[in-house]
Amino acid sequence: MDYTFLDDMKTSKFQKRLSILAAIGPFTDGFNEFGASTALLAIGVLFHLSVIMSSVILASYWIGVGAGGMIGGVFSDKIGRKTLFVYDTIGMGVFALISAVSFNGIFFFFSRLLLGFFIGIDYVAALPLISEYAPIKDRGKLLSTQKFFFTLGALLAIGEGLGLTILVGVDIAWRYIFITAAIPVFILFFLRKSMPESIRWAVENGKENRVKRIKSRLKKFGIDVNVKKSDMGTEPSIKDNLKKFFSRPNLRALVYIFWLGTAYSMTINLVSVYEPKFLDDLGATSTISLLGSVISAFLGLIGTVIVILTIDKIGRKNIGVIGFMLSAIPMGVMYAAFTLHAATLPLIMSMFALFYFINVGTIGTLQYVPAAELGGTRNRGLSMGWDKLWEFPTAAGAFALYAYLGPINSVLFDTIMPVVGGIILYILAIETNDKSLEYIEDETINEIDQPKQVPEED
């Protein structure tokens, strides 16, 4: 089917609304993920846990996201995006509330694990839905906007944690944060119902009845769809989808997505969720530790805005490689300060903030884009799940690694890893800028040799 009516159109209110409704998922993820920054300062004492056990318990969230992303990705491709897009919000809200009332480490572990599971499902429903409706010229912008909302959620969670720590103390502040995280997703359940299923997914899978409903709903948004009988595909089995996804032609895409998420997770988490604990170990008060995270998250938010405005002009590969290489600079400065015994809390907080600005603003903002563009329509949910499968469990491992290495060696690790990440990304990256989703699928999976698309001049 010809999708130029979507690919070449000017971004409309429909696409913007869909993007915002989808972005509340990453916003909630950021809020829950960085709410753990405050929890990390409290649960060790409250639940009588060692440093490593505290890290492992909080890391259960990322394990849940990885599992939810992979399992949800299979079902996103099988039953459609919208069902998961709407109903996963219930799980996100319920388990955020359950996390807030945890009374021991085991209870907190499983509540965080299941919360992460539903967050992972949300990514594999929402991101493909945006990608499959986005115009080519703004697809990177609409997808990377999700990172802006993630970072905004992180900033607000840390800000709330800082304020509540001052008002009621760190031992109870984290509970209020998780309660706050549940509120928007319950509202989101009703708002997302107005969105249509992906027309690309429905046509590709031969869902005639759904296509009719989608056409009717899109017409209300001023978008006319003409689907012929000959356009309709046939529904493959889950086995067929998996076989195509893990086929040899798709191998480079699989390794690329794996490395982007893994390398990012191995570099960012020292300066994200772990920063308050890092500063606390160096003698900072809980208030100062959380203030450092607020500053970092604010600069990260600015970084995401810059990339959102430029990603469809500069291209995905350039942003990723440059971002990794520049990330090594502030961490190298910090490590030199440690070895020269010149490290101070203001210097450490400044370098963390600069790192966060670079790393989140470039790699973090890019991260949602390739997985949502690759894999083909029948496997785009699984493609996003593949990203989450590696990204978040790697983050869990990073937490344990930081606790084992200690502050100084963790900084050395975070100086070397971005350079390694950038070099390997340069070799693996697949540029998807200025290409239709169908062209990308032919180029990466169907092995059809086509000339490079050149956007028409206005």
Side-chain angles (χ1 to χ4, degrees), residues 148-327:
F148 172 84
F149 277 84
F150 174 94
T151 310
L152 179 62
L155 176 61
L156 293 179
I158 300 168
E160 182 180 348
L162 175 60
L164 289 172
T165 296
I166 295 171
L167 292 174
V168 301
V170 71
D171 289 345
I172 196 171
W174 62 276
R175 297 187 186 273
Y176 288 115
I177 291 173
F178 293 136
I179 291 172
T180 305
I183 296 172
V185 290
F186 285 130
I187 299 172
L188 191 62
F189 171 78
F190 298 99
L191 296 177
R192 282 184 172 181
K193 283 188 172 183
S194 64
M195 292 293 101
E197 175 62 88
S198 165
I199 185 66
R200 276 182 160 101
W201 176 86
V203 170
E204 186 80 7
N205 287 274
K207 305 291 186 180
E208 292 187 37
N209 290 333
R210 291 206 198 181
V211 168
K212 292 176 183 177
R213 293 197 295 269
I214 294 167
K215 288 171 64 177
S216 176
R217 188 151 291 184
L218 287 176
K219 195 167 186 178
K220 294 178 181 179
F221 290 105
I223 301 174
D224 291 320
V225 181
N226 181 26
V227 181
K228 302 174 184 176
K229 188 78 173 177
S230 59
D231 294 327
M232 301 298 294
T234 56
E235 183 178 2
S237 66
I238 291 177
K239 182 179 179 181
D240 290 335
N241 280 344
L242 290 172
K243 185 177 180 181
K244 184 173 183 180
F245 185 70
F246 290 107
S247 65
R248 186 177 182 84
N250 200 39
L251 179 61
R252 182 179 174 186
L254 292 175
V255 178
Y256 170 37
I257 294 168
F258 154 77
W259 183 250
L260 180 60
T262 297
Y264 175 62
S265 293
M266 293 301 292
T267 57
I268 187 56
N269 282 289
L270 181 65
V271 191
S272 55
V273 179
Y274 210 79
E275 181 177 356
K277 181 63 178 173
F278 186 101
L279 295 174
D280 183 69
D281 288 343
L282 294 177
T285 65
S286 296
T287 301
I288 293 298
S289 298
L290 289 170
L291 178 61
S293 287
V294 169
I295 295 170
S296 296
F298 178 73
L299 286 180
L301 196 67
I302 296 174
T304 62
V305 172
I306 293 172
V307 172
I308 286 169
L309 296 175
T310 58
I311 189 169
D312 290 305
K313 299 179 177 66
I314 297 175
R316 288 54 159 153
K317 181 176 181 177
N318 289 336
I319 287 175
V321 173
I322 292 170
F324 270 121
M325 294 302 185
L326 291 179
S327 294

Side-chain angles (χ1 to χ4, degrees), residues 9 18 41 44 59 72 99 107 114 119 129 131 176 218 225 239-240 262 293 317 328 353 360 367 374 413 447 456:
M9 73 181 294
L18 174 61
L41 297 174
S99 295
F107 191 93
L114 291 169
I119 292 283
L129 201 55
S131 184
Y176 288 115
L218 287 176
V225 181
K239 182 179 179 181
D240 290 335
T262 297
S293 287
K317 181 176 181 177
V360 171
Q367 177 204 2
L374 296 166
F413 175 83
E447 296 186 300
E456 295 181 4

Side-chain angles (χ1 to χ4, degrees), residues 53 75 87 89 92 121 198 221 228 277 281 326 340 383-384 387 405 454 458:
M53 282 307 300
F75 284 98
Y87 290 98
T89 57
M92 291 159 64
I121 290 175
S198 165
F221 290 105
K228 302 174 184 176
K277 181 63 178 173
D281 288 343
L326 291 179
L340 296 172
S383 181
M384 283 301 308
D387 170 66
L405 290 176
V454 179
D458 295 332

